[in-house]
Amino acid sequence: MTAKEGPPAPDLPFPIFQISQRARRYLLYDITTVTWLRRTHNILGVFIGSLPQSPQQNLFLGLPLELQPEEVELLVEKGLAFIVNDLHTHRKALYSPPAQLEEHKANAYKEGLAAARAVEKQKHLRTQEALQRFSARQKTPDASSDIDKSKDNDAEEKEESLFDAPKTRSSQSTSFDLIPYTSTPTTSYPPILLPSDQSSSSLPELNAASYALFKHLHSHGYFLSPGLRFGCQFLVYPGDPLRFHSHFLAMSAEWDEEIDLLDLVGGGRLGTGVKKGWLIGGVEKKANSDVEPDPASPYMAQREDAEAIDPRVRTFCIEWGGM
């Protein structure tokens, strides 16, 4: 058996649209990018778009996908994405339409017209099949009397008169131009051109301890989603949340931050009550030592470079043993 191929990768780096200058909300509209990130890079985000067929419920949502600030920082840091100001980009495109806009409209018209023809063809086939089934039911082999024969003849004449009109209407409808189907794409690029500058100057403002904990857990293959409903920062899953329950309720803290004992007890009891562990993590600070290391040592140079790139994060799991 051959392994199933994953979703196709988008063009890298892909855009992340910032829709609010103050709230710093970041959205993805392309389903290909969303699927690829979830499958390849363990990025979940939160769907915030309502479904067209069920707009009055919020249990099952769709595009766009809102990313956590930590996810945005991680994607930009890895060079997979860059941030685009949604308002400035679309305003510039409206004032000066790109050259390929007319070509994009023509292709959309052709696709809509082909879809309309396919639907009309399916309707015609269903009508013909229904007529054949109806006429087959009306043809009975038993005709015992002339009265029954006359009734059958009258019924056949009525059937012909009933179904002659739709045939003429269908033949007449083909003479008119079909109205092409219209569809609203989830992305506007193309035809809108993305900015050439991909420096991502408007990065989200993050707590250093929170991002370090997120990056540490993500580097170990965990999936992380917002943990507001459980009173924590992140819900930590060992795999895709569609297949696994979360194992930890994660909270970040500074290394020398004082934590109230009641918070530890409450967190441990909360985690145990929902069959999870209460996890606290933060960046470990270097302890003061009387013995100074040799700066010329290659081991110390490698260690300092590694800590500068990815500082050491320590995590502690608390569970309540009295339940």
Side-chain angles (χ1 to χ4, degrees):
M1 294 178 64
T2 59
K4 294 183 179 180
E5 296 182 358
D11 296 333
L12 299 179
F14 57 83
I16 298 176
F17 291 92
Q18 178 186 355
I19 64 169
S20 176
Q21 192 68 25
R22 294 184 178 181
R24 300 285 181 119
R25 301 182 66 183
Y26 303 91
L27 303 183
L28 289 177
Y29 296 90
D30 187 9
I31 187 60
T32 303
T33 305
V34 172
T35 308
W36 180 75
L37 286 177
R38 188 184 186 105
R39 179 99 178 243
T40 310
H41 293 278
N42 300 358
I43 298 295
L44 296 176
V46 178
F47 286 105
I48 61 173
S50 62
L51 300 181
Q53 295 180 346
S54 305
Q56 296 183 353
Q57 56 85 33
N58 59 359
L59 184 61
F60 300 101
L61 300 177
L63 292 173
L65 181 83
E66 182 173 359
L67 296 174
Q68 300 181 73
E70 290 82 5
E71 294 173 329
V72 176
E73 180 78 20
L74 183 66
L75 293 174
V76 173
E77 182 180 312
K78 289 184 175 182
L80 299 176
F82 65 99
I83 298 175
V84 175
N85 189 300
D86 186 79
L87 176 62
H88 294 169
T89 302
H90 284 86
R91 180 178 293 176
K92 181 179 178 181
L94 291 175
Y95 290 157
S96 56
Q100 63 270 30
L101 182 60
E102 294 301 327
E103 181 182 356
H104 184 78
K105 289 182 178 179
N107 293 334
Y109 180 86
K110 293 178 181 178
E111 293 176 0
L113 188 60
R117 288 174 178 171
V119 171
E120 288 296 326
K121 184 177 180 181
Q122 291 294 331
K123 288 182 179 178
H124 182 69
L125 291 177
R126 287 197 297 266
T127 302
Q128 294 297 325
E129 291 176 357
L131 290 174
Q132 292 176 2
R133 290 194 300 268
F134 185 79
S135 60
R137 287 197 301 267
Q138 294 299 322
K139 293 180 179 179
T140 56
D142 185 13
S144 57
S145 62
D146 295 335
I147 299 176
D148 294 337
K149 290 181 180 179
S150 62
K151 289 182 178 179
D152 293 339
N153 293 332
D154 294 339
E156 290 178 359
E157 292 178 358
K158 290 181 180 179
E159 290 169 12
E160 291 178 357
S161 62
L162 284 175
F163 291 100
D164 281 342
K167 291 180 182 179
T168 56
R169 284 198 299 267
S170 62
S171 61
Q172 291 176 358
S173 63
T174 56
S175 62
F176 296 99
D177 293 334
L178 291 174
I179 299 177
Y181 280 28
T182 58
S183 62
T184 303
T186 59
T187 60
S188 56
Y189 57 95
I192 293 180
L193 298 178
L194 298 174
S196 57
D197 183 14
Q198 302 177 358
S199 57
S200 298
S201 57
S202 57
L203 289 173
E205 299 178 359
L206 296 176
N207 180 282
S210 175
Y211 177 64
L213 178 62
F214 178 91
K215 185 177 180 182
H216 172 75
L217 295 174
H218 183 271
S219 65
H220 284 75
Y222 288 102
F223 288 72
L224 289 91
S225 68
L228 179 61
R229 60 178 177 174
F230 285 99
C232 60
Q233 285 182 301
F234 307 110
L235 284 175
V236 184
Y237 297 84
D240 195 299
L242 296 176
R243 300 176 57 194
F244 298 91
H245 289 286
S246 59
H247 283 190
F248 303 105
L249 310 177
M251 290 288 295
S252 65
E254 298 293 338
W255 187 253
D256 53 358
E257 179 182 348
E258 294 185 1
I259 303 176
D260 196 326
L261 184 59
L262 291 179
D263 293 337
L264 295 178
V265 174
R269 294 188 65 176
L270 172 62
T272 305
V274 293
K275 298 181 180 180
K276 309 178 194 306
W278 179 266
L279 186 144
I280 298 178
V283 180
E284 181 182 10
K285 288 186 176 181
K286 296 181 180 179
N288 296 326
S289 177
D290 296 336
V291 180
E292 296 184 359
D294 183 10
S297 173
Y299 170 76
M300 291 305 303
Q302 294 177 1
R303 180 177 176 181
E304 290 177 357
D305 293 341
E307 290 182 354
I309 297 174
D310 189 8
R312 185 182 182 188
V313 177
R314 297 285 301 277
T315 56
F316 304 89
C317 186
I318 300 172
E319 295 185 6
W320 183 254
M323 297 179 65

